Amino acid sequence: MTKSKVKPAPVPAVQSRSQAPTMADVAELAGVSPMTVSRVMNGDTNVREKTRNRVDAAVAALNYVPNQAARRLAGSRPIRVGFLYSNPSAGYLSEFLVGLLNQASPNNVQLVVEKCEADEHGVEQARRLIANGVDGIILPPPLCDVHNLIDLIATSGTPAITVACGQPDPRVGGVSIDDYQAAYAMTCHLIALGHQRIGFVIGHPNQSASARRLAGFKAAIAEKHVQSAPELIVQGQFTYRSGLDAAESLLGLAQRPTAVFASNDDMAAAVVAIAHRLGLDVPGDLTVAGFDDTALATTIWPELTTVRQPITAMAEEAVQSLVRLIRAQRNGTPEAPEHVVTKHTLVRRQSDAAPRLRPSAKIAGKAK
């Protein structure tokens, strides 16, 4: 009798660690993105119930278990963030750094601070930071508007956040205010006070926020049918020195403006200085308004009426947003960059008033 060979029943394969289901597998089965799976796993209440149910069903079907140890490790590893700056305003930079430092320690962030110029030098600095392994980069103005710098960072796949950019690049994250609406609101405020001849000092021509603020100013002037003249708009550079030159030009006109709106506080402070030198009372003879609400706004006399751009809070948000992008990338669930628009505020102080009804003050013996 010949014994037949009995084929043994197949033994279920033991799933190796490398074959364990991943978040990407769950996303594919549920028909959603890995980022959506991550949001569901983290209890995000903004996910629709139908989507949440599909993800839960996929998790159950695959017997997916998040690797909590790896997630904790990814979250605990230090994050190296490169901060490139090239800003002429000491007040702006100071408030920005405060915001970065406020969030660095709570998020286990190590800051690598580099000063550079808004040209090829900045590109080289960024290239060196990326080569040295920084996890992300933060770019304040004017570097947030350097296109070849953004190109380099986006191409490298390094997460980045631009701050206070008038027209953020969609390839990187952004934190800003609505410069157009902020300038529009301030201009409308000056018009409501009764000013019909308003001077404007433009910011640096290479910064997109400058163009947005100018556009907001012009829109309010046109909408309210206020006097418009080319000589009332003067180019500045966001520096105190450029503000002095702009003020001399505006206040030297045969028919000078009754109010001057400068695109940042440094230039507005310079306008106040020139007004004092000419014997003009601020705000009696001349209303002056600024933008940013840096420390300078409350250290000169009179204190400036200005647009408060929450610089410190924006820098804090930049760190938080960048950390989210970096941790998502580490977890294998990269998120799309987001643009956060923060709220601006019009702050009234002592430098604005209604225009005088009496004759203007005399300058150097001549009525203006």
Side-chain angles (χ1 to χ4, degrees):
M1 182 175 178
T2 305
K3 292 183 179 180
S4 61
K5 292 183 179 180
V6 179
K7 189 176 181 179
V11 177
V14 177
Q15 198 171 43
S16 68
R17 184 178 300 274
S18 62
Q19 294 174 320
T22 66
M23 188 176 290
D25 296 328
V26 175
E28 183 178 0
L29 182 59
V32 298
S33 68
M35 183 174 68
T36 299
V37 175
S38 175
R39 290 169 62 192
V40 171
M41 299 297 291
N42 288 311
D44 191 328
T45 58
N46 291 322
V47 179
R48 289 184 299 178
E49 189 64 29
K50 183 178 179 181
T51 301
R52 185 184 301 280
N53 291 337
R54 282 162 53 195
V55 172
D56 288 340
V59 168
L62 293 173
N63 195 26
Y64 171 68
V65 179
N67 189 336
Q68 297 295 341
R71 292 176 68 181
R72 283 195 299 271
L73 180 61
S76 62
R77 279 169 47 199
I79 294 175
R80 296 181 68 236
V81 170
F83 171 57
L84 294 175
Y85 74 94
S86 175
N87 197 303
S89 172
Y92 187 99
L93 181 60
S94 175
E95 294 198 23
F96 202 103
L97 284 170
V98 168
L100 296 182
L101 294 172
N102 284 347
Q103 288 300 314
S105 180
N107 288 285
N108 202 13
V109 168
Q110 298 173 348
L111 286 173
V112 181
V113 181
E114 298 276 359
K115 182 179 181 180
C116 61
E117 299 304 321
D119 52 21
E120 285 304 314
H121 180 236
V123 175
E124 286 305 313
Q125 290 285 81
R127 184 177 286 114
R128 183 172 61 81
L129 286 174
I130 293 169
N132 288 337
V134 295
D135 297 298
I137 295 176
I138 293 177
L139 299 174
L143 297 172
C144 59
D145 284 305
V146 179
H147 298 299
N148 52 347
L149 177 56
I150 302 294
D151 289 340
L152 169 68
I153 296 171
T155 302
S156 74
T158 304
I161 302 288
T162 60
V163 182
C165 183
Q167 296 177 312
D169 191 299
R171 295 173 297 174
V172 298
V175 181
S176 67
I177 64 168
D178 189 329
D179 292 278
Y180 176 96
Q181 286 297 332
Y184 174 87
M186 177 60 81
T187 308
C188 287
H189 166 67
L190 298 178
I191 294 170
L193 287 175
H195 295 282
Q196 293 292 304
R197 189 168 169 81
I198 304 171
F200 186 79
V201 185
I202 312 172
H204 198 290
N206 291 337
Q207 295 190 34
S208 56
S210 300
R212 295 283 294 166
R213 293 172 193 180
L214 175 60
F217 169 78
K218 286 184 172 181
I221 292 294
E223 181 182 301
K224 304 298 182 181
H225 306 293
V226 173
Q227 187 177 153
S228 175
E231 67 271 17
L232 290 176
I233 299 177
V234 182
Q235 184 66 58
Q237 302 289 325
F238 279 138
T239 63
Y240 185 85
R241 175 69 259 178
S242 70
L244 294 175
D245 295 337
E248 288 179 343
S249 175
L250 288 170
L251 300 184
L253 294 172
Q255 186 183 0
R256 62 174 175 79
T258 61
V260 174
F261 178 17
S263 292
N264 78 344
D265 292 339
D266 288 53
M267 296 190 298
V271 174
V272 172
I274 294 298
H276 288 164
R277 194 185 79 186
L278 296 174
L280 296 172
D281 176 63
V282 178
D285 298 310
L286 179 72
T287 279
V288 180
F291 203 110
D292 286 337
D293 197 25
T294 57
L296 181 60
T298 54
T299 54
I300 65 169
W301 179 84
E303 295 184 358
L304 278 175
T305 288
T306 186
V307 172
R308 175 176 294 155
Q309 179 172 214
I311 300 167
T312 298
M314 290 166 70
E316 291 174 346
E317 178 62 37
V319 174
Q320 294 169 0
S321 295
L322 187 57
V323 166
R324 285 195 296 269
L325 290 176
I326 293 169
R327 286 182 175 159
Q329 189 178 73
R330 286 181 176 180
N331 289 331
T333 57
E335 298 182 4
E338 293 183 339
H339 178 209
V340 178
V341 179
T342 58
K343 185 180 179 181
H344 63 269
T345 309
L346 195 157
V347 181
R348 286 198 70 183
R349 295 197 178 96
Q350 291 79 42
S351 68
D352 75 337
R356 287 190 189 274
L357 298 179
R358 61 177 174 75
S360 300
K362 294 183 177 181
I363 302 177
K366 296 181 180 180
K368 291 288 184 180

